[in-house]
């Protein structure tokens, strides 16, 4: 559904966890004749608006697809720009997030980033660990298939060591080996900029998520768009194969 499908009434049913594929930074910049870095910077500002909107509306978890495992295939210059912006936000915005009660969590293969970025990310997780207004999850160098594969390997290793019976592995046990262990599954996955695919994002976790696709490029995403997706969610019937439910 597009962002035009919006009602002004407050949502009756709020999602606990909203996951967002932030797409369209490059197209936003190209449409304005700006360098690609300008699009990524504007996307960073959209992240800040989204976090504030989530806090105001009472959403407890937001996961952002900030850097996919496939993004390493981009040009060295763009990877350097993205890494530089990540470094800046980790160094200069975490204190602000913490004051607003935001806890930061990172999933993905951080080992591919420079040491200082890894250290900043782990420090941000540590200093915000006691916050409980909102959990902001950054998916960095993350891929859904790799997440599932590494979970399967961990299960196999546990069986080989005699720590786990193969017959004991069910969906609940398997989920404990995923990088998202301890997190609620996303109730809704939002993708901006008109693309209608998951692009290897939270594949296991999104099995029952509501999918919302907006034409709006990510740098233009604001509180009004956040309200739009909450309204769309509130009007969906979530059945999970049974009767409609509203979490």
């Amino acid at each position: 559904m597009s962002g035009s499908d919006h009602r002004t009434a407050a949502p009756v049913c709020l999602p606990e966890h909203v996951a967002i594929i932030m797409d369209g930074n490059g197209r936003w910049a190209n449409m304005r004749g700006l360098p690609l870095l300008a699009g990524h910077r504007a996307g960073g500002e959209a992240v800040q608006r989204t976090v504030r909107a989530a806090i105001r509306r009472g959403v407890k978890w937001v996961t952002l697809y900030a850097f996919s495992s496939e993004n390493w295939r981009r040009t060295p210059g763009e990877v350097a720009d993205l890494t530089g912006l990540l470094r800046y936000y980790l160094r200069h915005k975490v204190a602000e997030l913490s004051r607003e009660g935001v806890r930061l969590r990172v999933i993905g293969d951080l080992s591919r980033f420079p040491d200082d970025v890894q250290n900043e990310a782990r420090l941000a997780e540590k200093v915000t660990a006691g916050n409980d207004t909102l959990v902001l999850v950054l998916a960095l160098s993350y891929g859904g298939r790799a997440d599932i594969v590494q979970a399967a390997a961990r299960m196999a290793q546990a069986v080989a060591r005699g720590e786990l019976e193969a017959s004991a592995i069910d969906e609940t046990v398997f989920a404990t080996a995923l990088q998202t262990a301890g997190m609620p599954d996303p109730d809704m996955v939002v993708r901006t900029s008109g693309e209608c695919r998951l692009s290897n994002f939270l594949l296991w976790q999104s099995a029952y998520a509501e999918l919302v696709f907006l034409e709006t490029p990510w740098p233009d995403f604001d509180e009004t768009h956040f309200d739009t997706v909450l309204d769309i969610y509130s009007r969906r019937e979530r059945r999970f194969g049974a009767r409609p439910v509203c979490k």
Side-chain angles (χ1 to χ4, degrees):
M1 299 180 73
S2 71
S4 61
D5 188 11
H6 176 60
R7 299 179 183 178
T8 57
V12 175
C13 178
L14 278 175
E16 179 183 19
H17 183 181
V18 177
I20 304 177
I21 301 171
M22 305 180 295
D23 194 15
N25 291 351
R27 273 165 279 184
W28 183 92
N30 288 337
M31 289 173 60
R32 289 160 176 78
L34 297 172
L36 183 55
L37 180 57
H40 292 314
R41 285 175 174 165
E45 294 170 3
V47 168
Q48 296 178 75
R49 293 193 296 268
T50 300
V51 169
R52 290 194 295 266
I55 291 172
R56 292 187 186 115
R57 298 299 180 263
V59 174
K60 303 302 292 184
W61 292 77
V62 172
T63 297
L64 301 177
Y65 205 10
F67 194 102
S68 74
S69 54
E70 289 78 15
N71 284 159
W72 293 108
R73 301 173 188 167
R74 298 190 178 188
T75 65
E78 185 175 0
V79 170
D81 286 343
L82 288 167
T83 303
L85 282 174
L86 174 61
R87 180 184 291 111
Y88 171 80
Y89 277 99
L90 288 172
R91 287 179 179 174
H92 300 288
K93 297 296 183 179
V94 170
E96 179 181 335
L97 289 173
S98 189
R99 286 194 296 270
E100 296 182 19
V102 177
R103 176 186 174 189
L104 190 69
R105 177 168 173 175
V106 176
I107 58 174
D109 183 10
L110 270 181
S111 68
R112 298 191 67 177
F113 288 97
D115 289 346
D116 66 319
V117 172
Q118 296 180 46
N119 294 336
E120 294 285 354
R122 294 311 180 200
L123 178 61
E125 288 183 308
K126 182 178 179 180
V127 301
T128 63
N131 298 334
D132 59 6
T133 299
L134 169 73
V135 182
L136 176 63
V137 184
L138 297 182
L140 298 172
S141 189
Y142 176 85
R145 287 182 173 180
D147 193 6
I148 294 169
V149 168
Q150 65 87 29
R154 290 181 64 183
M155 292 283 101
Q157 290 162 4
V159 170
R161 292 192 299 265
E163 299 169 358
L164 179 68
E165 292 291 334
S167 60
I169 300 174
D170 57 15
E171 291 183 13
T172 300
V173 172
F174 188 83
T176 65
L178 294 167
Q179 295 179 35
T180 52
M183 292 171 49
D185 287 342
D187 299 296
M188 176 170 58
V189 175
V190 179
R191 182 166 187 157
T192 58
S193 202
E195 301 293 347
C196 299
R197 54 181 178 270
L198 290 177
S199 294
N200 202 20
F201 181 51
L202 298 178
L203 298 180
W204 172 281
Q205 299 85 344
S206 299
Y208 286 101
E210 298 297 321
L211 305 181
V212 177
F213 302 105
L214 302 179
E215 294 294 330
T216 306
W218 176 246
D220 287 335
F221 194 89
D222 59 19
E223 188 167 355
T224 300
H225 296 100
F226 195 79
D227 284 345
T228 293
V229 298
L230 294 185
D231 182 58
I232 292 171
Y233 177 85
S234 73
R235 292 183 280 113
R236 297 275 180 93
E237 287 191 353
R238 307 194 75 209
R239 295 180 178 275
F240 299 101
R243 294 163 55 186
V245 298
C246 182
K247 293 179 64 178

